Amino acid sequence: MSRNNPTPHDREPDRSISRRRLIAWSTTALLSGVAGCSGTNNPSNGTESSTGSPSPSADSVFQGVEFSGPNLVVSLAEDHDVDRLNLIAPDESTFEQATVAEGASQVEMQIVSKTGGTYSAGEYDLVAVIGESSESMTVELQPELQVVEVEPEVDEDDGYSSGRLFVTVENVGTGPTWVYNIGFRNAPYRNAPDVIEGDDVADTTFEQPEDPDKEFLSPETERTFLKRRGVLVIDDNDDVSCEGDTAELTVVVQTPHGDIEQPIRAQLSGGYHIDDQGAIQHPCREVQIELVDGGEQNA
């Protein structure tokens, strides 16, 4: 039986608000005003741009900094003489380097990886090496995720809940990150997607997004995720029923920069949605979900 995404409030499920964000600039010295987790700046000098970041000076070798998936994308002036870009971590070690090809005006540096080598959140120095001289700018890389909506998946044939949940996550920080798992605590279904604890093994595969590259969240980007297994699936022996009861559980979004927990409250009604006569547990026909205060962020 096929399922569909309800795309609540007519929102595209994988909508990217803006995958590019201008970061605070400096030329020969570092600016003291740097974007915080909320994306706001308090520059000590320079002209404010529409993004809240000071504009680069006219003779700066840097033209812009953007994010594309796991990459930091640096745009350089057309007539630059930059040989190399160094990304220096807060502990003053070199986190990443990139050689600038002759004539290239845009350089990508991967800063998030699914196999290790992901940056630690903090303030970085981006250094353009020009012969025996250099020019620097400050980049604050601080992802900040929040769950903005949780909605039940609805069966497109009969309009009833399938027991699975769409979870929409937004990155409101200043650095990209990777959502490698979404699990649930206190779910009524004993086979609901697990939260990875320590060395535990869990099914981290998403049915949505289908493109694994979209598991990366750039700043000011939101994405809707769907795990393959049900969450709100119950039987007659559970503490809650499909006859007007309420289930309280927690969504846990897991990233290399920490876990984000969002409590939710699900109102269950309409009786069992029985699409498999041989099953012991079933989803409820009607599910209404609200986000509850009290979530935690361990990042």
Side-chain angles (χ1 to χ4, degrees):
M1 184 174 292
S2 58
R3 313 289 186 186
N4 74 322
N5 182 342
T7 56
H9 310 308
D10 297 322
R11 181 176 58 220
E12 291 294 331
D14 290 341
R15 177 169 62 91
S16 174
I17 301 172
S18 171
R19 72 186 182 97
R20 299 181 173 181
R21 185 186 183 90
L22 184 65
I23 307 298
W25 292 89
S26 70
T27 54
T28 57
L30 303 181
L31 289 172
S32 60
V34 182
C37 292
S38 64
T40 60
N41 296 328
N42 183 24
S44 59
N45 53 38
T47 304
E48 284 283 319
S49 70
S50 60
T51 63
S53 297
S55 300
S57 62
D59 59 350
S60 173
V61 71
F62 296 111
Q63 294 296 297
V65 175
E66 307 166 341
F67 296 101
S68 177
N71 298 330
L72 175 69
V73 184
V74 183
S75 295
L76 302 172
E78 292 184 1
D79 57 349
H80 72 82
D81 294 318
V82 177
D83 303 309
R84 186 176 72 254
L85 292 176
N86 296 334
L87 187 62
I88 308 301
D91 63 2
E92 299 185 354
S93 65
T94 300
F95 174 74
E96 188 62 79
Q97 291 182 317
T99 300
V100 180
E102 184 177 355
S105 60
Q106 196 170 76
V107 181
E108 294 193 3
M109 308 174 77
Q110 185 171 348
I111 59 175
V112 181
S113 174
K114 294 184 177 182
T115 58
T118 294
Y119 73 92
S120 297
E123 186 175 293
Y124 286 69
D125 295 338
L126 180 63
V127 181
V129 179
I130 310 167
E132 298 298 321
S133 64
S134 65
E135 182 177 330
S136 302
M137 63 175 289
T138 301
V139 179
E140 179 148 348
L141 300 175
Q142 180 69 61
E144 182 180 345
L145 298 190
Q146 59 185 21
V147 176
V148 296
E149 191 163 52
V150 179
E151 289 289 324
E153 182 194 40
V154 176
D155 190 295
E156 64 181 11
D157 292 331
D158 55 25
Y160 295 140
S161 166
S162 72
R164 302 197 300 177
L165 297 179
F166 290 106
V167 178
T168 301
V169 181
E170 182 181 7
N171 184 357
V172 297
T174 58
T177 192
W178 167 45
V179 176
Y180 65 81
N181 183 49
I182 293 181
F184 298 85
R185 301 192 196 279
N186 302 319
Y189 186 40
R190 58 178 173 267
N191 292 319
D194 296 322
V195 177
I196 299 177
E197 305 282 4
D199 296 329
D200 289 352
V201 177
D203 176 13
T204 60
T205 304
F206 296 106
E207 185 161 318
Q208 184 176 319
E210 296 180 1
D211 183 354
D213 287 343
K214 292 187 176 181
E215 294 168 8
F216 296 104
L217 264 75
S218 298
E220 297 189 14
T221 299
E222 71 176 37
R223 192 89 66 205
T224 297
F225 295 84
L226 177 68
K227 297 300 288 287
R228 296 184 295 184
R229 288 180 286 170
V231 179
L232 297 174
V233 181
I234 63 178
D235 62 27
D236 290 333
N237 296 321
D238 287 326
D239 294 333
V240 295
S241 75
C242 294
E243 301 297 340
D245 281 353
T246 299
E248 296 190 358
L249 57 154
T250 300
V251 180
V252 182
V253 180
Q254 299 191 273
T255 81
H257 295 102
D259 298 348
I260 296 89
E261 299 190 5
Q262 174 61 59
I264 62 172
R265 182 179 296 119
Q267 186 68 36
L268 311 175
S269 61
Y272 289 127
H273 177 201
I274 302 177
D275 57 359
D276 181 355
Q277 297 293 337
I280 298 175
Q281 295 175 295
H282 303 277
C284 301
R285 291 191 176 193
E286 303 292 339
V287 176
Q288 299 292 327
I289 296 177
E290 62 175 324
L291 305 185
V292 180
D293 292 338
E296 297 181 0
Q297 180 166 334
N298 176 26

Short mmCIF file of all heavy atoms in Angstrom, two decimals, residues 189-240:
data_model
loop_
_atom_site.label_atom_id
_atom_site.label_comp_id
_atom_site.label_asym_id
_atom_site.label_seq_id
_atom_site.Cartn_x
_atom_site.Cartn_y
_atom_site.Cartn_z
N TYR A 189 5.32 1.84 20.26
CA TYR A 189 5.70 0.69 19.43
C TYR A 189 7.08 0.20 19.84
O TYR A 189 8.06 0.95 19.82
CB TYR A 189 5.68 1.11 17.96
CG TYR A 189 5.92 -0.02 16.98
CD1 TYR A 189 5.35 -1.27 17.17
CD2 TYR A 189 6.70 0.18 15.84
CE1 TYR A 189 5.55 -2.29 16.26
CE2 TYR A 189 6.90 -0.84 14.92
CZ TYR A 189 6.33 -2.07 15.13
OH TYR A 189 6.53 -3.10 14.23
N ARG A 190 7.19 -1.07 20.21
CA ARG A 190 8.46 -1.60 20.70
C ARG A 190 9.53 -1.69 19.61
O ARG A 190 10.72 -1.78 19.91
CB ARG A 190 8.26 -2.97 21.33
CG ARG A 190 7.65 -4.03 20.41
CD ARG A 190 7.52 -5.37 21.12
NE ARG A 190 6.80 -6.36 20.34
CZ ARG A 190 5.50 -6.59 20.43
NH1 ARG A 190 4.78 -5.88 21.29
NH2 ARG A 190 4.90 -7.50 19.68
N ASN A 191 9.12 -1.65 18.35
CA ASN A 191 10.09 -1.69 17.24
C ASN A 191 10.26 -0.33 16.58
O ASN A 191 10.70 -0.24 15.43
CB ASN A 191 9.65 -2.72 16.20
CG ASN A 191 9.76 -4.14 16.71
OD1 ASN A 191 10.71 -4.49 17.40
ND2 ASN A 191 8.76 -4.98 16.39
N ALA A 192 9.93 0.74 17.28
CA ALA A 192 10.10 2.09 16.74
C ALA A 192 11.58 2.37 16.52
O ALA A 192 12.45 1.74 17.14
CB ALA A 192 9.51 3.11 17.71
N PRO A 193 11.93 3.30 15.60
CA PRO A 193 13.34 3.64 15.37
C PRO A 193 14.06 4.00 16.67
O PRO A 193 13.55 4.78 17.46
CB PRO A 193 13.26 4.83 14.41
CG PRO A 193 11.96 4.65 13.70
CD PRO A 193 11.02 4.07 14.73
N ASP A 194 15.23 3.40 16.85
CA ASP A 194 15.98 3.56 18.10
C ASP A 194 16.82 4.83 18.10
O ASP A 194 17.22 5.35 17.06
CB ASP A 194 16.90 2.36 18.32
CG ASP A 194 16.14 1.06 18.51
OD1 ASP A 194 15.09 1.10 19.16
OD2 ASP A 194 16.61 0.02 18.00
N VAL A 195 17.14 5.29 19.31
CA VAL A 195 18.17 6.30 19.53
C VAL A 195 19.49 5.56 19.72
O VAL A 195 19.55 4.59 20.48
CB VAL A 195 17.86 7.16 20.76
CG1 VAL A 195 18.98 8.16 21.02
CG2 VAL A 195 16.52 7.86 20.59
N ILE A 196 20.54 5.99 19.03
CA ILE A 196 21.84 5.35 19.17
C ILE A 196 22.48 5.80 20.48
O ILE A 196 22.67 7.00 20.71
CB ILE A 196 22.76 5.68 17.99
CG1 ILE A 196 22.14 5.16 16.68
CG2 ILE A 196 24.14 5.09 18.18
CD1 ILE A 196 22.94 5.51 15.45
N GLU A 197 22.79 4.86 21.33
CA GLU A 197 23.41 5.14 22.62
C GLU A 197 24.79 4.48 22.65
O GLU A 197 24.89 3.26 22.57
CB GLU A 197 22.56 4.61 23.77
CG GLU A 197 21.12 5.11 23.78
CD GLU A 197 20.98 6.52 24.30
OE1 GLU A 197 22.02 7.14 24.61
OE2 GLU A 197 19.84 7.00 24.42
N GLY A 198 25.84 5.28 22.75
CA GLY A 198 27.19 4.72 22.83
C GLY A 198 27.53 3.89 21.61
O GLY A 198 27.48 4.38 20.48
N ASP A 199 27.83 2.63 21.83
CA ASP A 199 28.20 1.74 20.73
C ASP A 199 27.03 0.93 20.19
O ASP A 199 27.21 -0.03 19.45
CB ASP A 199 29.31 0.77 21.19
CG ASP A 199 30.59 1.49 21.55
OD1 ASP A 199 30.86 2.54 20.94
OD2 ASP A 199 31.32 1.01 22.44
N ASP A 200 25.80 1.31 20.58
CA ASP A 200 24.63 0.59 20.09
C ASP A 200 24.54 0.67 18.57
O ASP A 200 25.01 1.62 17.95
CB ASP A 200 23.35 1.17 20.70
CG ASP A 200 23.21 0.85 22.17
OD1 ASP A 200 24.03 0.06 22.67
OD2 ASP A 200 22.30 1.38 22.81
N VAL A 201 23.92 -0.33 17.99
CA VAL A 201 23.71 -0.37 16.54
C VAL A 201 22.24 -0.11 16.27
O VAL A 201 21.37 -0.73 16.88
CB VAL A 201 24.14 -1.71 15.95
CG1 VAL A 201 23.85 -1.76 14.46
CG2 VAL A 201 25.62 -1.97 16.22
N ALA A 202 21.94 0.81 15.38
CA ALA A 202 20.56 1.14 15.05
C ALA A 202 20.43 1.31 13.54
O ALA A 202 21.42 1.55 12.84
CB ALA A 202 20.11 2.40 15.77
N ASP A 203 19.20 1.20 13.05
CA ASP A 203 18.91 1.42 11.64
C ASP A 203 18.87 2.92 11.39
O ASP A 203 17.94 3.61 11.79
CB ASP A 203 17.57 0.79 11.27
CG ASP A 203 17.18 1.07 9.82
OD1 ASP A 203 18.04 1.53 9.05
OD2 ASP A 203 16.01 0.81 9.47
N THR A 204 19.92 3.45 10.74
CA THR A 204 19.99 4.89 10.50
C THR A 204 19.51 5.27 9.09
O THR A 204 19.65 6.42 8.70
CB THR A 204 21.44 5.38 10.68
OG1 THR A 204 22.28 4.70 9.75
CG2 THR A 204 21.93 5.10 12.09
N THR A 205 18.95 4.32 8.36
CA THR A 205 18.52 4.59 6.99
C THR A 205 17.22 5.38 6.97
O THR A 205 16.28 5.07 7.70
CB THR A 205 18.32 3.27 6.22
OG1 THR A 205 19.53 2.51 6.27
CG2 THR A 205 17.96 3.55 4.77
N PHE A 206 17.18 6.40 6.13
CA PHE A 206 15.97 7.20 5.96
C PHE A 206 15.24 6.78 4.68
O PHE A 206 15.88 6.50 3.67
CB PHE A 206 16.29 8.69 5.88
CG PHE A 206 16.89 9.25 7.13
CD1 PHE A 206 18.24 9.55 7.21
CD2 PHE A 206 16.11 9.48 8.26
CE1 PHE A 206 18.80 10.07 8.35
CE2 PHE A 206 16.65 10.00 9.41
CZ PHE A 206 18.01 10.30 9.47
N GLU A 207 13.93 6.78 4.73
CA GLU A 207 13.15 6.64 3.50
C GLU A 207 13.01 8.00 2.82
O GLU A 207 12.93 8.09 1.61
CB GLU A 207 11.78 6.04 3.80
CG GLU A 207 10.97 5.75 2.55
CD GLU A 207 9.86 4.77 2.79
OE1 GLU A 207 10.07 3.78 3.51
OE2 GLU A 207 8.76 4.99 2.23
N GLN A 208 13.01 9.04 3.61
CA GLN A 208 13.01 10.41 3.09
C GLN A 208 13.96 11.22 3.96
O GLN A 208 13.89 11.11 5.19
CB GLN A 208 11.62 11.02 3.14
CG GLN A 208 11.56 12.41 2.53
CD GLN A 208 10.15 12.96 2.50
OE1 GLN A 208 9.20 12.25 2.19
NE2 GLN A 208 10.00 14.23 2.84
N PRO A 209 14.88 11.97 3.37
CA PRO A 209 15.09 12.18 1.93
C PRO A 209 15.70 10.95 1.25
O PRO A 209 16.48 10.22 1.87
CB PRO A 209 16.07 13.36 1.89
CG PRO A 209 16.83 13.25 3.16
CD PRO A 209 15.86 12.74 4.19
N GLU A 210 15.34 10.76 -0.01
CA GLU A 210 15.87 9.63 -0.76
C GLU A 210 17.32 9.85 -1.15
O GLU A 210 18.09 8.89 -1.24
CB GLU A 210 15.02 9.38 -2.02
CG GLU A 210 13.58 8.97 -1.72
CD GLU A 210 12.77 8.74 -2.97
OE1 GLU A 210 13.36 8.89 -4.08
OE2 GLU A 210 11.59 8.42 -2.86
N ASP A 211 17.70 11.08 -1.38
CA ASP A 211 19.07 11.42 -1.74
C ASP A 211 19.90 11.58 -0.47
O ASP A 211 19.66 12.49 0.32
CB ASP A 211 19.10 12.72 -2.55
CG ASP A 211 20.49 13.09 -3.04
OD1 ASP A 211 21.46 12.40 -2.65
OD2 ASP A 211 20.61 14.08 -3.79
N PRO A 212 20.89 10.69 -0.24
CA PRO A 212 21.69 10.79 0.99
C PRO A 212 22.41 12.12 1.14
O PRO A 212 22.70 12.54 2.27
CB PRO A 212 22.69 9.63 0.84
CG PRO A 212 22.04 8.67 -0.10
CD PRO A 212 21.26 9.53 -1.05
N ASP A 213 22.69 12.82 0.05
CA ASP A 213 23.35 14.12 0.15
C ASP A 213 22.48 15.14 0.87
O ASP A 213 22.99 16.12 1.42
CB ASP A 213 23.72 14.64 -1.24
CG ASP A 213 24.89 13.89 -1.85
OD1 ASP A 213 25.61 13.20 -1.09
OD2 ASP A 213 25.08 13.97 -3.08
N LYS A 214 21.17 14.92 0.88
CA LYS A 214 20.26 15.85 1.54
C LYS A 214 20.17 15.60 3.05
O LYS A 214 19.41 16.28 3.74
CB LYS A 214 18.87 15.79 0.90
CG LYS A 214 18.87 16.32 -0.52
CD LYS A 214 17.47 16.42 -1.09
CE LYS A 214 17.49 17.05 -2.48
NZ LYS A 214 16.14 17.17 -3.07
N GLU A 215 20.94 14.64 3.55
CA GLU A 215 21.04 14.46 4.99
C GLU A 215 21.92 15.55 5.61
O GLU A 215 21.92 15.72 6.83
CB GLU A 215 21.58 13.07 5.32
CG GLU A 215 20.63 11.95 4.90
CD GLU A 215 21.26 10.58 4.94
OE1 GLU A 215 22.40 10.47 5.44
OE2 GLU A 215 20.64 9.61 4.47
N PHE A 216 22.66 16.28 4.77
CA PHE A 216 23.43 17.43 5.24
C PHE A 216 22.50 18.64 5.31
O PHE A 216 21.70 18.87 4.41
CB PHE A 216 24.60 17.74 4.29
CG PHE A 216 25.63 16.65 4.20
CD1 PHE A 216 25.68 15.82 3.10
CD2 PHE A 216 26.55 16.46 5.23
CE1 PHE A 216 26.63 14.82 3.01
CE2 PHE A 216 27.50 15.46 5.15
CZ PHE A 216 27.54 14.64 4.04
N LEU A 217 22.64 19.42 6.39
CA LEU A 217 21.85 20.64 6.55
C LEU A 217 22.77 21.83 6.63
O LEU A 217 23.52 22.00 7.60
CB LEU A 217 20.98 20.58 7.82
CG LEU A 217 19.54 20.10 7.61
CD1 LEU A 217 19.52 18.61 7.38
CD2 LEU A 217 18.68 20.48 8.79
N SER A 218 22.72 22.69 5.60
CA SER A 218 23.44 23.96 5.62
C SER A 218 22.69 24.95 6.51
O SER A 218 21.51 24.74 6.82
CB SER A 218 23.56 24.52 4.20
OG SER A 218 24.30 23.65 3.37
N PRO A 219 23.32 26.03 6.92
CA PRO A 219 22.60 27.06 7.67
C PRO A 219 21.40 27.58 6.89
O PRO A 219 21.41 27.68 5.68
CB PRO A 219 23.66 28.16 7.85
CG PRO A 219 24.96 27.43 7.81
CD PRO A 219 24.77 26.34 6.80
N GLU A 220 20.34 27.88 7.63
CA GLU A 220 19.09 28.40 7.08
C GLU A 220 18.45 27.43 6.11
O GLU A 220 17.83 27.83 5.11
CB GLU A 220 19.30 29.77 6.43
CG GLU A 220 19.75 30.85 7.41
CD GLU A 220 19.73 32.22 6.81
OE1 GLU A 220 19.15 32.41 5.73
OE2 GLU A 220 20.32 33.14 7.42
N THR A 221 18.58 26.15 6.39
CA THR A 221 17.97 25.10 5.57
C THR A 221 17.11 24.22 6.46
O THR A 221 17.48 23.92 7.59
CB THR A 221 19.04 24.24 4.89
OG1 THR A 221 19.83 25.05 4.03
CG2 THR A 221 18.42 23.13 4.07
N GLU A 222 15.96 23.81 5.96
CA GLU A 222 15.15 22.84 6.68
C GLU A 222 14.89 21.63 5.78
O GLU A 222 14.85 21.74 4.56
CB GLU A 222 13.84 23.44 7.20
CG GLU A 222 12.81 23.76 6.13
CD GLU A 222 11.51 24.26 6.75
OE1 GLU A 222 11.56 24.99 7.75
OE2 GLU A 222 10.44 23.91 6.21
N ARG A 223 14.72 20.48 6.42
CA ARG A 223 14.56 19.23 5.69
C ARG A 223 13.58 18.33 6.44
O ARG A 223 13.54 18.33 7.67
CB ARG A 223 15.91 18.53 5.57
CG ARG A 223 15.94 17.38 4.59
CD ARG A 223 16.30 17.87 3.22
NE ARG A 223 17.65 18.39 3.17
CZ ARG A 223 18.08 19.29 2.29
NH1 ARG A 223 17.24 19.79 1.41
NH2 ARG A 223 19.32 19.71 2.30
N THR A 224 12.79 17.55 5.72
CA THR A 224 11.86 16.62 6.33
C THR A 224 12.40 15.20 6.20
O THR A 224 12.80 14.77 5.12
CB THR A 224 10.47 16.72 5.67
OG1 THR A 224 9.94 18.02 5.90
CG2 THR A 224 9.52 15.68 6.25
N PHE A 225 12.41 14.49 7.33
CA PHE A 225 12.95 13.14 7.41
C PHE A 225 11.83 12.15 7.74
O PHE A 225 10.88 12.48 8.46
CB PHE A 225 14.02 13.05 8.49
CG PHE A 225 15.25 13.87 8.20
CD1 PHE A 225 15.30 15.22 8.53
CD2 PHE A 225 16.36 13.30 7.59
CE1 PHE A 225 16.43 15.98 8.26
CE2 PHE A 225 17.49 14.05 7.32
CZ PHE A 225 17.53 15.39 7.66
N LEU A 226 11.98 10.91 7.22
CA LEU A 226 11.03 9.83 7.50
C LEU A 226 11.81 8.53 7.65
O LEU A 226 12.53 8.12 6.74
CB LEU A 226 10.01 9.71 6.36
CG LEU A 226 8.99 8.57 6.48
CD1 LEU A 226 8.03 8.84 7.65
CD2 LEU A 226 8.21 8.39 5.18
N LYS A 227 11.66 7.89 8.81
CA LYS A 227 12.26 6.57 9.01
C LYS A 227 11.33 5.50 8.46
O LYS A 227 10.14 5.71 8.28
CB LYS A 227 12.54 6.33 10.50
CG LYS A 227 13.55 7.29 11.12
CD LYS A 227 14.91 7.21 10.44
CE LYS A 227 15.66 5.93 10.75
NZ LYS A 227 16.22 5.85 12.10
N ARG A 228 11.90 4.31 8.21
CA ARG A 228 11.13 3.26 7.55
C ARG A 228 10.14 2.58 8.49
O ARG A 228 9.14 2.03 8.04
CB ARG A 228 12.08 2.22 6.97
CG ARG A 228 12.98 2.76 5.87
CD ARG A 228 13.84 1.69 5.24
NE ARG A 228 14.80 1.13 6.20
CZ ARG A 228 15.71 0.23 5.87
NH1 ARG A 228 15.78 -0.21 4.62
NH2 ARG A 228 16.55 -0.23 6.78
N ARG A 229 10.40 2.61 9.79
CA ARG A 229 9.55 1.89 10.73
C ARG A 229 8.53 2.80 11.40
O ARG A 229 8.73 4.01 11.50
CB ARG A 229 10.42 1.20 11.80
CG ARG A 229 11.19 0.00 11.25
CD ARG A 229 12.03 -0.63 12.34
NE ARG A 229 13.19 0.18 12.68
CZ ARG A 229 13.98 -0.04 13.73
NH1 ARG A 229 13.69 -1.01 14.56
NH2 ARG A 229 15.03 0.72 13.95
N GLY A 230 7.45 2.19 11.90
CA GLY A 230 6.41 2.95 12.57
C GLY A 230 6.84 3.40 13.95
O GLY A 230 7.82 2.93 14.53
N VAL A 231 6.08 4.35 14.49
CA VAL A 231 6.34 4.91 15.82
C VAL A 231 5.08 4.81 16.68
O VAL A 231 5.10 4.29 17.79
CB VAL A 231 6.78 6.38 15.71
CG1 VAL A 231 7.02 6.97 17.10
CG2 VAL A 231 8.02 6.51 14.84
N LEU A 232 3.97 5.30 16.16
CA LEU A 232 2.69 5.27 16.87
C LEU A 232 1.90 4.05 16.42
O LEU A 232 0.94 4.14 15.66
CB LEU A 232 1.92 6.56 16.63
CG LEU A 232 2.61 7.83 17.14
CD1 LEU A 232 1.84 9.07 16.74
CD2 LEU A 232 2.78 7.77 18.66
N VAL A 233 2.34 2.88 16.88
CA VAL A 233 1.71 1.60 16.58
C VAL A 233 1.47 0.91 17.92
O VAL A 233 2.41 0.73 18.70
CB VAL A 233 2.61 0.73 15.68
CG1 VAL A 233 1.93 -0.59 15.36
CG2 VAL A 233 2.96 1.47 14.40
N ILE A 234 0.23 0.52 18.22
CA ILE A 234 -0.10 0.02 19.55
C ILE A 234 -0.99 -1.22 19.47
O ILE A 234 -1.50 -1.59 18.40
CB ILE A 234 -0.81 1.11 20.38
CG1 ILE A 234 -2.14 1.50 19.73
CG2 ILE A 234 0.08 2.33 20.54
CD1 ILE A 234 -2.91 2.54 20.52
N ASP A 235 -1.16 -1.89 20.63
CA ASP A 235 -2.09 -3.01 20.72
C ASP A 235 -2.95 -2.86 21.97
O ASP A 235 -2.81 -1.90 22.73
CB ASP A 235 -1.36 -4.35 20.69
CG ASP A 235 -0.42 -4.54 21.87
OD1 ASP A 235 -0.66 -3.94 22.94
OD2 ASP A 235 0.56 -5.29 21.72
N ASP A 236 -3.83 -3.84 22.22
CA ASP A 236 -4.78 -3.74 23.33
C ASP A 236 -4.11 -3.77 24.69
O ASP A 236 -4.72 -3.38 25.69
CB ASP A 236 -5.81 -4.87 23.23
CG ASP A 236 -6.75 -4.68 22.05
OD1 ASP A 236 -6.96 -3.52 21.65
OD2 ASP A 236 -7.28 -5.68 21.54
N ASN A 237 -2.88 -4.24 24.75
CA ASN A 237 -2.19 -4.34 26.04
C ASN A 237 -1.37 -3.09 26.38
O ASN A 237 -0.78 -3.02 27.47
CB ASN A 237 -1.26 -5.56 26.04
CG ASN A 237 -2.04 -6.86 25.92
OD1 ASN A 237 -3.12 -7.00 26.51
ND2 ASN A 237 -1.51 -7.81 25.15
N ASP A 238 -1.29 -2.12 25.47
CA ASP A 238 -0.53 -0.91 25.73
C ASP A 238 -1.28 0.02 26.70
O ASP A 238 -2.49 -0.11 26.91
CB ASP A 238 -0.22 -0.18 24.42
CG ASP A 238 0.83 -0.89 23.60
OD1 ASP A 238 1.74 -1.49 24.20
OD2 ASP A 238 0.75 -0.83 22.36
N ASP A 239 -0.53 0.96 27.26
CA ASP A 239 -1.13 1.89 28.22
C ASP A 239 -2.03 2.91 27.54
O ASP A 239 -2.85 3.55 28.21
CB ASP A 239 -0.03 2.63 28.99
CG ASP A 239 0.78 1.70 29.88
OD1 ASP A 239 0.23 0.67 30.29
OD2 ASP A 239 1.96 2.01 30.14
N VAL A 240 -1.88 3.08 26.23
CA VAL A 240 -2.72 4.02 25.50
C VAL A 240 -3.51 3.26 24.45
O VAL A 240 -3.12 2.18 24.00
CB VAL A 240 -1.88 5.13 24.83
CG1 VAL A 240 -1.19 5.98 25.88
CG2 VAL A 240 -0.86 4.54 23.87
#
